[in-house]
Amino acid sequence: MKSAEERKQQSIALLKEQGVPYIEHLPVIETADNVRLRSAEEIARRAICCLITIQLACDIQNQQDVEDSRLFMTGLLDRFGVRLFLTEKEKAIFDGTSTEQDWVNMVWKYEAYWPLIWALGLVDSLTFPDQICDCQKAIEVVSTKATFDEFMKDVQLRPIDDLLDEADLIFRYDWACVDARIKGEPAPAGLNSEVVYERHWGLNWLIDADGQNDWDLVSCNT
């Protein structure tokens, strides 16, 4: 099992190859000994709630039969048995108290959802974050399943070391994006800063980096 410093140096070596700026004194992240390993079921419930809420937010944003969509998406929540696991911000999308900015923010959660289904072994890899995820694939991961139990049959939870490797790397990508923004420069090496931020969100939730266990309030400080 890697030490936190070994993981940091592994990330830095990759950043060098990719031409992404870094600083040596950016700290290490958590280790396998001090993170809470989430169960596959917990991650799966969070992923399904997130994906279904994103779909509703997309329909609201596009003014596509909103009430019919709300009923349909609520039915999906019940079909998968996850309605009780919605966050407060997700509930606001469903109960009609959300704002236009809330819809925009929710649609971006595709990118935070993507590392969840990666952690469940449902997508092969987290590629360089220079473009948005495969939204069709993101939908099909859930839409092709009839029940939560059927969804879980394809799940193979990745080791915590894999999650920590990606969490450390995205932490350093996000620092590079924030540093560029402060300087009034574009994100370096073609990074998409929004994708980086949301992926950071999803990975930090996976390792419970801030100890809050609240999807709506994940910290992505760099």
Side-chain angles (χ1 to χ4, degrees):
M1 188 174 292
K2 298 186 192 78
S3 70
E5 183 61 30
E6 287 171 334
R7 179 169 286 111
K8 172 181 172 178
Q9 294 306 320
Q10 173 183 279
S11 294
I12 288 174
L14 185 56
L15 297 175
K16 288 179 179 177
E17 289 178 15
Q18 297 169 335
V20 177
Y22 65 94
I23 50 171
E24 284 283 357
H25 59 271
L26 198 66
V28 298
I29 66 162
E30 292 75 9
T31 67
D33 294 330
N34 61 13
V35 298
R36 181 173 74 86
L37 180 60
R38 297 183 187 275
S39 69
E41 290 77 12
E42 182 181 6
I43 299 168
R45 289 193 297 264
R46 175 87 308 270
I48 293 169
C49 283
C50 186
L51 188 276
I52 293 173
T53 309
I54 289 166
Q55 297 311 297
L56 178 56
C58 286
D59 287 348
I60 294 172
Q61 201 173 28
N62 296 324
Q63 299 182 329
Q64 292 182 345
D65 301 319
V66 173
E67 289 310 312
D68 287 345
S69 177
R70 187 172 278 116
L71 286 171
F72 178 75
M73 299 302 174
T74 301
L76 286 181
L77 293 173
D78 291 337
R79 192 176 91 191
F80 284 97
V82 296
R83 198 203 290 207
L84 293 178
F85 298 96
L86 290 175
T87 69
E88 292 306 309
K89 288 185 178 180
E90 289 167 345
K91 289 175 185 176
I93 299 289
F94 275 88
D95 66 22
T97 60
S98 55
T99 65
E100 186 173 355
Q101 188 58 52
D102 292 331
W103 313 334
V104 172
N105 293 345
M106 191 60 64
V107 171
W108 268 110
K109 284 290 175 275
Y110 263 126
E111 304 301 332
Y113 159 84
W114 193 252
L116 303 189
I117 57 174
W118 166 81
L120 294 172
L122 301 174
V123 295
D124 293 335
S125 62
L126 293 179
T127 56
F128 186 74
D130 58 347
Q131 55 189 329
I132 64 172
C133 67
D134 182 343
C135 294
Q136 190 58 42
K137 170 69 174 178
I139 294 167
E140 289 173 356
V141 163
V142 175
S143 67
T144 55
K145 308 302 179 184
T147 65
F148 186 80
D149 288 343
E150 185 180 340
F151 179 89
M152 291 301 297
K153 286 179 181 177
D154 289 339
V155 165
Q156 187 169 4
L157 188 60
R158 295 182 187 276
I160 186 62
D161 259 2
D162 290 358
L163 275 60
L164 289 168
D165 284 351
E166 291 292 347
D168 185 273
L169 182 59
I170 202 71
F171 174 46
R172 300 177 202 286
Y173 282 145
D174 206 359
W175 176 86
C177 290
V178 170
D179 184 60
R181 185 164 63 249
I182 290 170
K183 295 174 178 175
E185 299 171 354
L191 287 167
N192 183 314
S193 59
E194 288 87 356
V195 171
V196 168
Y197 178 80
E198 293 295 342
R199 191 181 292 183
H200 195 181
W201 188 289
L203 285 162
N204 271 7
W205 181 86
L206 281 167
I207 64 171
D208 198 13
D210 54 15
Q212 290 195 66
N213 194 32
D214 189 336
W215 178 258
D216 286 343
L217 298 173
V218 174
S219 172
C220 295
N221 293 335
T222 59

